[in-house]
Amino acid sequence: MKEFVIDTLIYIGIAVAYVVGGYVVKYISAKMKQIDNTIANENTSNIIKEAEKAIVSAVSYTSQTFVDALKASNMFDDAKQKEALNKALQKSLEMMSGTTISFIKNTYGDINSWITTKIEEVIKQNKKDK
Protein backbone atom coordinates (compact mmCIF):
# COMPACT_ATOMS: atom_id res chain seq x y z
CA MET A 1 0.00 0.00 0.00
CA LYS A 2 2.82 2.37 0.87
CA GLU A 3 4.39 1.81 -2.56
CA PHE A 4 1.05 2.49 -4.25
CA VAL A 5 0.74 5.86 -2.47
CA ILE A 6 4.32 6.78 -3.32
CA ASP A 7 3.87 5.76 -6.98
CA THR A 8 0.62 7.71 -7.17
CA LEU A 9 2.23 10.79 -5.70
CA ILE A 10 5.12 10.50 -8.16
CA TYR A 11 2.70 10.26 -11.10
CA ILE A 12 0.70 13.23 -9.81
CA GLY A 13 3.94 15.19 -9.33
CA ILE A 14 5.05 14.42 -12.88
CA ALA A 15 1.66 15.47 -14.26
CA VAL A 16 1.71 18.72 -12.28
CA ALA A 17 5.29 19.44 -13.37
CA TYR A 18 4.32 18.79 -17.00
CA VAL A 19 1.34 21.18 -16.83
CA VAL A 20 3.28 23.87 -14.94
CA GLY A 21 6.20 23.46 -17.34
CA GLY A 22 3.86 24.05 -20.29
CA TYR A 23 2.59 27.27 -18.74
CA VAL A 24 6.13 28.42 -17.99
CA VAL A 25 7.18 27.80 -21.61
CA LYS A 26 4.11 29.71 -22.90
CA TYR A 27 4.81 32.59 -20.51
CA ILE A 28 8.47 32.80 -21.51
CA SER A 29 7.54 32.65 -25.21
CA ALA A 30 4.99 35.44 -24.78
CA LYS A 31 7.50 37.61 -22.91
CA MET A 32 10.15 37.03 -25.58
CA LYS A 33 7.67 38.00 -28.30
CA GLN A 34 6.74 41.13 -26.33
CA ILE A 35 10.41 42.07 -25.99
CA ASP A 36 10.99 41.47 -29.72
CA ASN A 37 8.00 43.69 -30.57
CA THR A 38 9.25 46.42 -28.23
CA ILE A 39 12.70 46.33 -29.81
CA ALA A 40 11.20 46.37 -33.32
CA ASN A 41 8.97 49.34 -32.41
CA GLU A 42 11.92 51.24 -30.94
CA ASN A 43 14.03 50.55 -34.03
CA THR A 44 11.19 51.66 -36.30
CA SER A 45 10.68 54.80 -34.25
CA ASN A 46 14.41 55.63 -34.37
CA ILE A 47 14.56 55.10 -38.13
CA ILE A 48 11.53 57.34 -38.75
CA LYS A 49 13.00 60.01 -36.44
CA GLU A 50 16.29 59.90 -38.35
CA ALA A 51 14.46 60.27 -41.66
CA GLU A 52 12.32 63.15 -40.42
CA LYS A 53 15.36 64.92 -38.94
CA ALA A 54 17.16 64.60 -42.28
CA ILE A 55 14.14 66.01 -44.11
CA VAL A 56 13.79 68.99 -41.76
CA SER A 57 17.51 69.72 -42.13
CA ALA A 58 17.32 69.37 -45.92
CA VAL A 59 14.37 71.79 -46.13
CA SER A 60 16.19 74.28 -43.94
CA TYR A 61 19.38 73.92 -45.99
CA THR A 62 17.52 74.36 -49.29
CA SER A 63 15.67 77.35 -47.97
CA GLN A 64 18.85 79.06 -46.78
CA THR A 65 20.99 78.26 -49.83
CA PHE A 66 18.43 78.52 -52.62
CA VAL A 67 14.92 79.71 -51.83
CA ASP A 68 15.63 82.79 -49.70
CA ALA A 69 17.80 84.45 -52.34
CA LEU A 70 15.27 83.79 -55.08
CA LYS A 71 12.42 85.15 -52.99
CA ALA A 72 14.43 88.27 -52.19
CA SER A 73 14.88 88.96 -55.90
CA ASN A 74 11.28 87.99 -56.77
CA MET A 75 12.50 85.11 -58.94
CA PHE A 76 10.84 82.28 -57.01
CA ASP A 77 8.30 80.94 -59.50
CA ASP A 78 6.70 77.51 -60.02
CA ALA A 79 9.74 76.16 -61.86
CA LYS A 80 12.08 77.27 -59.05
CA GLN A 81 9.67 75.82 -56.50
CA LYS A 82 9.93 72.42 -58.20
CA GLU A 83 13.70 72.79 -58.34
CA ALA A 84 13.79 73.59 -54.63
CA LEU A 85 11.68 70.53 -53.90
CA ASN A 86 14.09 68.36 -55.90
CA LYS A 87 17.07 69.86 -54.08
CA ALA A 88 15.46 69.15 -50.71
CA LEU A 89 14.62 65.62 -51.83
CA GLN A 90 18.19 64.92 -52.93
CA LYS A 91 19.65 66.49 -49.79
CA SER A 92 17.31 64.39 -47.65
CA LEU A 93 18.50 61.21 -49.35
CA GLU A 94 22.14 62.24 -48.91
CA MET A 95 21.60 62.73 -45.18
CA MET A 96 19.85 59.39 -44.55
CA SER A 97 21.65 56.17 -43.74
CA GLY A 98 21.36 53.14 -45.98
CA THR A 99 19.36 51.38 -43.29
CA THR A 100 16.85 54.21 -43.16
CA ILE A 101 16.51 54.34 -46.94
CA SER A 102 16.02 50.56 -47.14
CA PHE A 103 13.45 50.62 -44.34
CA ILE A 104 11.42 53.38 -45.99
CA LYS A 105 11.54 51.61 -49.37
CA ASN A 106 10.46 48.31 -47.82
CA THR A 107 7.77 49.86 -45.65
CA TYR A 108 6.31 52.62 -47.82
CA GLY A 109 7.36 51.65 -51.33
CA ASP A 110 8.27 54.75 -53.30
CA ILE A 111 10.79 56.60 -51.15
CA ASN A 112 10.68 59.74 -53.30
CA SER A 113 6.93 60.09 -52.78
CA TRP A 114 7.26 59.51 -49.05
CA ILE A 115 10.03 62.08 -48.68
CA THR A 116 8.21 64.58 -50.92
CA THR A 117 5.12 64.30 -48.73
CA LYS A 118 7.24 64.86 -45.62
CA ILE A 119 8.98 67.86 -47.24
CA GLU A 120 5.61 69.41 -48.00
CA GLU A 121 4.54 68.82 -44.38
CA VAL A 122 7.67 70.59 -43.12
CA ILE A 123 7.16 73.52 -45.50
CA LYS A 124 3.53 73.84 -44.44
CA GLN A 125 4.51 73.77 -40.76
CA ASN A 126 7.24 76.35 -41.38
CA LYS A 127 4.71 78.67 -43.00
CA LYS A 128 2.37 78.27 -40.03
CA ASP A 129 5.18 79.07 -37.61
CA LYS A 130 6.00 82.37 -39.32
Side-chain angles (χ1 to χ4, degrees):
M1 180 76 171
K2 193 175 186 182
E3 283 182 27
F4 174 74
V5 172
I6 291 173
D7 287 345
T8 303
L9 289 174
I10 289 173
Y11 291 130
I12 291 172
I14 290 171
V16 169
Y18 180 75
V19 170
V20 169
Y23 283 116
V24 169
V25 168
K26 284 182 182 180
Y27 175 78
I28 291 171
S29 294
K31 279 297 183 184
M32 288 176 61
K33 188 174 183 177
Q34 182 182 16
I35 290 168
D36 287 346
N37 287 340
T38 300
I39 291 169
N41 288 341
E42 286 176 15
N43 287 341
T44 299
S45 178
N46 289 338
I47 288 171
I48 296 299
K49 285 178 186 176
E50 177 193 332
E52 290 176 341
K53 184 177 177 181
I55 292 166
V56 168
S57 295
V59 168
S60 178
Y61 173 83
T62 303
S63 181
Q64 291 173 359
T65 62
F66 183 72
V67 174
D68 291 347
L70 291 172
K71 283 184 175 180
S73 61
N74 289 325
M75 296 176 60
F76 192 68
D77 57 13
D78 287 343
K80 295 296 182 187
Q81 186 176 359
K82 288 178 184 175
E83 187 177 344
L85 180 62
N86 265 343
K87 286 179 180 284
L89 173 64
Q90 293 308 312
K91 193 66 172 172
S92 296
L93 286 167
E94 288 173 17
M95 296 174 76
M96 289 182 198
S97 69
T99 302
T100 298
I101 291 170
S102 294
F103 176 84
I104 293 170
K105 284 180 181 178
N106 293 333
T107 305
Y108 300 104
D110 183 5
I111 190 168
N112 291 340
S113 293
W114 187 83
I115 292 173
T116 300
T117 301
K118 293 294 183 181
I119 289 170
E120 290 169 352
E121 288 176 14
V122 171
I123 293 169
K124 183 176 181 179
Q125 186 62 44
N126 287 348
K127 287 180 181 178
K128 281 184 181 179
D129 292 343
K130 286 185 178 182

